[in-house]
Amino acid sequence: MKIVKDEKYLSTACEPIQDSEWASIKMRLFLGMKSRNDAVGLACNQIGINKRGFAVRSGNKILFFKNPKIILKGEVIKHNEKCLSLPKDYNVPRNSEVVITDDINGTLIFKDYMACVIQHEYDHINGILIKHKGE
């Protein structure tokens, strides 16, 4: 699956996902994650869908998030990150804990590495790239 690298497109905040769209969007996210062994997360806009959803790999499961909102908690740390849409690594400030609520999973808490992954994908659907946050 082709990954979008157009920074102007990726810098646009995404639109909410309607219930009628979710099945096809989830399938495209699933196929995108399955086609990329190096992907720990994938936002809708990275596969050309301007919608507020993403998938993350947690262990050997893929978790899907539809119209998520997050609350940042914990301490701020510097996290070295890569992005499928950008060519280099960046050190990005991230919180060590997030509380995420969405239309599918209810409320979940993630800490440390997974908290950083959630923030990275959440930034994507809000039009924020790591190159704008990192060094």
Side-chain angles (χ1 to χ4, degrees):
M1 180 167 288
K2 185 175 181 193
I3 299 296
V4 173
K5 298 184 185 287
D6 179 349
E7 291 183 29
K8 184 176 179 184
Y9 174 79
L10 293 169
S11 296
T12 302
C14 296
E15 300 292 323
I17 298 172
Q18 303 304 314
D19 290 342
S20 61
E21 303 171 301
W22 179 238
S24 65
I25 289 172
K26 182 178 176 183
M27 179 55 70
R28 287 187 58 196
L29 284 169
F30 174 78
L31 293 172
M33 289 292 285
K34 284 295 192 184
S35 71
R36 300 292 305 231
N37 289 335
D38 57 338
V40 292
L42 187 64
C44 282
N45 58 357
Q46 289 182 282
I47 55 172
I49 304 170
N50 187 31
K51 295 290 182 172
R52 296 186 64 75
F54 59 82
V56 297
R57 196 178 311 274
S58 179
N60 52 359
K61 290 193 326 185
I62 298 174
L63 303 174
F64 299 92
F65 295 92
K66 175 186 168 200
N67 299 322
K69 293 183 172 107
I70 64 171
I71 298 170
L72 302 173
K73 294 191 164 203
E75 64 182 316
V76 176
I77 57 172
K78 285 284 191 170
H79 188 252
N80 185 269
E81 298 182 14
K82 297 179 186 214
C83 180
L84 296 172
S85 296
L86 298 172
K88 65 179 203 167
D89 298 1
Y90 295 86
N91 281 315
V92 183
R94 296 288 187 202
N95 286 68
S96 62
E97 183 177 337
V98 295
V99 177
I100 183 169
T101 304
D102 80 316
D103 295 349
I104 303 300
N105 304 292
T107 300
L108 299 171
I109 298 171
F110 291 94
K111 295 182 179 189
D112 304 319
Y113 176 73
M114 283 306 297
C116 294
V117 173
I118 294 290
Q119 289 169 80
H120 181 106
E121 300 311 325
Y122 188 76
D123 280 352
H124 264 300
I125 64 173
N126 286 300
I128 301 167
L129 297 173
I130 57 175
K131 73 182 283 181
H132 301 138
K133 294 182 87 157
E135 46 187 58

